[in-house]
Amino acid sequence: MSRDYGQYCGLARSLDVVGDRWNLLIVRQLLVAPARYRELQDGLPGIATNLLTDRLRDLETAGVLQRRLSTEGNATTYALTEWGAQLREPIEGLIRWSTPLMIRGAQGDDFRAEWLLLALPAVLAGHKPTRSATVGIDIDGDVIQLRSTRSGVVVSLPDGREFDASLRTDAQIALGLATGLLTLDDVAAQIDVEGDRTAVQAVFAR
């Protein structure tokens, strides 16, 4: 059976390439960083080994990703091609669109803090911080760095900068603050802030 839609339509042809189950989540992982096979498997809880192998092969054949030798030993690393990396914009759009679906929380679903490296920039796009600040968000021991600048908020792993404040919370509240559905006052009893509270307010200001 043909796996394509057979339609001369940009959406249909895009879905021919990335519409299969797991494909966009593989791209999500590689938007965070190039990864080895085992790292991809760890970041995609629930995927079968043979299915991951098949999806990687299909995405490579389509030109979305490429294999290269890691600088550490002879391990193979998977990375997006320049064309594949252009999926960041539509994926960030889907993340923003998902906001009503995320309000109810994880409800037992798997969660990896690294997924916030893609989700937070998506929902913070267009924010105009009220001041420069660097804030660490600690979620179950994993720390994500948010740095407000004149042009917006930069989200990354900690890069050695000193934090103006640290916020300990869970993913649902962090996303709620980033989307503006929650304020610090709303969740005061559910978060732990160390340092300059106004720095946290600046990062999440809309």
Side-chain angles (χ1 to χ4, degrees), residues 50-66:
N50 62 330
L51 185 57
L52 176 56
T53 299
D54 289 345
R55 294 293 188 259
L56 289 172
R57 183 183 62 245
D58 291 346
L59 290 170
E60 182 180 15
T61 299
V64 174
L65 60 80
Q66 58 189 347

Side-chain angles (χ1 to χ4, degrees), residues 3-68:
R3 296 177 58 189
D4 64 61
Y5 289 99
Q7 298 179 15
Y8 185 56
C9 160
L11 177 59
R13 291 206 171 168
S14 296
L15 292 174
D16 288 344
V17 175
V18 296
D20 281 340
R21 184 173 171 82
W22 293 105
N23 278 4
L24 283 179
L25 295 185
I26 291 171
V27 173
R28 175 198 67 192
Q29 294 302 114
L30 296 179
L31 282 170
V32 172
R36 298 180 182 182
Y37 183 91
R38 177 61 64 182
E39 293 168 334
L40 284 171
Q41 195 171 37
D42 290 344
L44 295 163
I47 193 169
T49 302
N50 62 330
L51 185 57
L52 176 56
T53 299
D54 289 345
R55 294 293 188 259
L56 289 172
R57 183 183 62 245
D58 291 346
L59 290 170
E60 182 180 15
T61 299
V64 174
L65 60 80
Q66 58 189 347
R67 286 180 293 174
R68 59 194 188 199

Side-chain angles (χ1 to χ4, degrees), residues 84-96:
Q86 293 175 24
L87 283 164
R88 179 180 295 274
E89 182 179 354
I91 286 176
E92 287 188 346
L94 283 171
I95 290 172
R96 287 189 290 272

Side-chain angles (χ1 to χ4, degrees), residues 61-83:
T61 299
V64 174
L65 60 80
Q66 58 189 347
R67 286 180 293 174
R68 59 194 188 199
L69 285 179
S70 171
T71 55
E72 301 175 3
N74 294 320
T76 298
T77 298
Y78 294 90
L80 294 173
T81 62
E82 183 177 352
W83 182 54

